[in-house]
Amino acid sequence: MSAALVAVLVLPALGAVALAFWPAAAERAARWFAVVLSGAVFTLTLVLLGARHDGPDPWTEVDARWIPSLDVRLHLGVDGISWPLIALTGLIFLLCALYSLRHVPNPGNPRRLLALMLALECGVFGAFMALDAVVFFVFFEVTLLPMFAVIAIWGGAGRRSAARQFLLYTLFGSVLLLVGVIAATIGRGTADLVAWSRDASTMSERGQIAVFVVLLIAFAVKSPLWPLHSWLPDAHTEAPTVGSVILAAVLLKMGTYGLIRVGLPAAPEGARAVAPVLGVLAVAAIVVAGLVCLALGELKRLIAYSSVGHMGFVLLGIATLGTPGLQAALFGNIAHGVLTGLLFFLVGAVKDRYGTGDLDRLGGIATVHPTLAGLLGFAAVGSLGLPGLAGFWGEAFAVVGAFGGSAFFKVLGVVAALGAALAAAYFLRLLRRTTVGPTGSAVVAGTPRLDAVELAAWAPLVVLALVLGLAPDLLLSLTVAPVEALVAVVNP
């Protein structure tokens, strides 16, 4: 299985290099090459599931010397915490490559866009596979420039400002991440994340609090956590459809995953001390995002702000430091990736056909494109937490995890539940103003119907939302053993 692990990481990098030098006269072949390669990589991520076992140890790993003078090893692996995100990453990039067969944003040149997407995929895989804190930081950094370029080159009218804001915020987070990783490595005597997750830290409580606060801010920028979220709406609004899908479904997860994989075991006493503050900020994100969404009139911006609220539930689950809460966080990561990724695909289809995301001009889509309206309704009710769909379990378990804690966390759980009601309000408002009611000025008959490529790109996400909503244990059974082992160290 170690060969499959290395192949998952290396193939996207090789594909990116190949597309960078691909002949300009063979652009359609380049698109199909990206689809085939992404399909092969996704298949390999499924092959990794064959190494699964029920214990907390990595299912399979690669551990090689890299920088002996600094005692840094190229330590990569997969376990129940990382595999779902690795598989989701493989699926999302495959669907984005498939979508790009027919839908390439201006100014065209799909070879460069696909090359950047594959480079981005390599960085994300590396971050999710890293079992060494320094290796995690390196791959975390690899994702920044490709995403910046995707927004800056293929985005909307305000793309350059949005890309600069994305880069400045994420570079600020990266500097703090480097400081936190170095401090934790010195305090721990090793950068090995497996060792961190097994043994309690010997650092002083004050030192652990300082390390955890630095790492929390670094990962909060990426998650993003209120009030460090302001880069996200602009980035989503200006990014091309595939950029928004990747950003929502994959890149935001690097922040919450990093907090679980790196932040909690790096400084467990610090995590316990700061957890109430994290809980308050998470609930604030849920409520503030919900109130803002009730007032927004632009479709992509509304979905972007909804992500701040959804990730608030993930961060609330982490703040509980208990098994139900961390399970909720990991499940919520996947559910948000599936449903919000689908939403951004659908919003892209709406803007491609009607040339606007203005809610005031989009009424009555169901009369012209009933299939598109139906899919938009499905993704919206899934995102608001309808039981039976994937979005329900992450939010429900986060609230349950909060109620299992102190009286303070019980109060946070109540406020978070009220925030979920806000999500229902703004998503139902979105549907009322776009799919039903009087036909908006932008919605006219004769616009292109959904094509086979779009439906093929969206169908797996629809199926996943249903399967995970009806059988959540398919995912929860993978994460329970490593989560319980982590809780035993973080919250003994």
Side-chain angles (χ1 to χ4, degrees):
M1 286 296 176
S2 59
L5 183 71
V6 173
V8 167
L9 183 62
V10 171
L11 284 178
L14 295 177
V17 173
L19 286 172
F21 294 98
W22 200 276
E27 286 193 349
R28 183 161 183 80
R31 298 189 205 187
W32 276 108
F33 170 78
V35 172
V36 172
L37 181 68
S38 299
V41 170
F42 174 59
T43 302
L44 287 172
T45 66
L46 300 181
V47 170
L48 292 174
L49 188 60
R52 176 194 175 187
H53 58 75
D54 294 331
D57 296 331
W59 299 348
T60 183
E61 57 188 315
V62 173
D63 190 1
R65 297 180 68 186
W66 183 25
I67 311 175
S69 59
L70 298 177
D71 194 28
V72 175
R73 304 185 66 83
L74 187 63
H75 193 185
L76 305 170
V78 176
D79 63 4
I81 291 177
S82 61
W83 182 82
L85 286 167
I86 291 170
L88 177 66
T89 299
L91 175 63
I92 291 297
F93 278 92
L94 169 60
L95 299 181
C96 286
L98 184 63
Y99 186 82
S100 298
L101 285 174
R102 292 282 301 274
H103 303 272
V104 179
N106 289 328
N109 201 335
R111 292 175 293 112
R112 292 182 182 176
L113 176 61
L114 292 168
L116 287 170
M117 285 168 53
L118 288 173
L120 188 58
E121 184 178 26
C122 175
V124 175
F125 277 140
F128 289 151
M129 291 178 181
L131 294 178
D132 182 281
V134 176
V135 174
F136 176 88
F137 171 78
V138 170
F139 281 108
F140 192 91
E141 292 300 289
V142 167
T143 64
L144 300 186
L145 289 180
M147 193 68 226
F148 168 80
V150 168
I151 297 171
I153 298 173
W154 289 274
R159 60 187 181 274
R160 298 190 186 280
S161 175
R164 282 195 299 268
Q165 193 176 15
F166 165 80
L167 190 62
L168 287 174
Y169 266 90
T170 49
L171 283 176
F172 167 70
S174 296
V175 170
L176 292 180
L177 178 58
L178 179 60
V179 171
V181 164
I182 292 173
T185 300
I186 293 172
R188 285 292 204 149
T190 178
D192 189 85
L193 295 176
V194 176
W196 290 9
S197 65
R198 289 174 177 168
D199 305 316
S201 176
T202 57
M203 285 189 289
S204 67
E205 182 179 7
R206 182 174 296 180
Q208 289 194 47
I209 291 173
V211 168
F212 186 78
V213 168
V214 170
L215 290 173
L216 173 60
I217 296 172
F219 291 127
V221 171
K222 197 73 170 182
S223 297
L225 176 65
W226 181 89
L228 299 174
H229 68 290
S230 59
W231 63 270
L232 183 69
D234 288 338
H236 268 310
T237 302
E238 300 301 335
T241 295
V242 291
S244 293
V245 171
I246 292 169
L247 184 59
V250 176
L251 290 191
L252 299 190
K253 311 304 173 289
M254 292 174 64
T256 49
Y257 172 82
L259 192 57
I260 294 172
R261 177 66 83 191
V262 179
L264 296 186
E269 288 187 52
R272 292 196 296 272
V274 179
V277 177
L278 174 58
V280 169
L281 293 175
V283 170
I286 295 169
V287 175
V288 171
L291 294 174
V292 171
C293 285
L294 285 172
L296 287 174
E298 205 283 329
L299 202 49
K300 282 190 82 172
R301 201 168 188 85
L302 192 157
I303 302 302
Y305 263 102
S306 77
S307 290
V308 176
H310 290 312
M311 299 311 289
F313 279 100
V314 173
L315 290 159
L316 175 62
I318 296 173
T320 66
L321 302 181
T323 299
L326 290 177
Q327 288 276 74
L330 294 169
F331 195 101
N333 267 341
I334 301 300
H336 177 264
V338 170
L339 287 164
T340 306
L342 177 60
L343 274 171
F344 275 114
F345 267 134
L346 296 169
V347 169
V350 169
K351 294 192 75 169
D352 286 346
R353 282 160 176 79
Y354 304 119
T356 182
D358 187 349
L359 297 183
D360 291 333
R361 301 183 60 203
L362 289 173
I365 291 177
T367 62
V368 178
H369 284 107
T371 302
L372 178 57
L375 288 170
L376 190 60
F378 173 88
V381 297
S383 292
L384 64 82
L386 183 72
L389 296 177
F392 170 76
W393 296 106
E395 296 184 3
F397 279 125
V399 174
V400 168
F403 273 92
S406 64
F408 178 78
F409 271 95
K410 287 182 173 65
V411 173
L412 293 183
V414 171
V415 179
L418 295 175
L422 286 176
Y426 65 71
F427 271 117
L428 292 175
R429 168 180 173 267
L430 180 153
L431 293 176
R432 179 180 63 81
R433 295 185 63 181
T434 56
T435 61
V436 297
T439 302
S441 60
V443 179
V444 294
T447 52
R449 298 200 173 275
L450 301 181
D451 58 52
V453 167
E454 289 174 313
L455 294 174
W458 304 341
L461 299 178
V462 173
V463 172
L464 261 180
L466 283 168
V467 170
L468 293 178
L470 297 173
D473 198 53
L474 290 175
L475 181 56
L476 294 173
S477 62
L478 299 176
T479 59
V480 62
V483 164
E484 288 178 345
L486 180 60
V487 169
V489 172
V490 175
N491 198 19

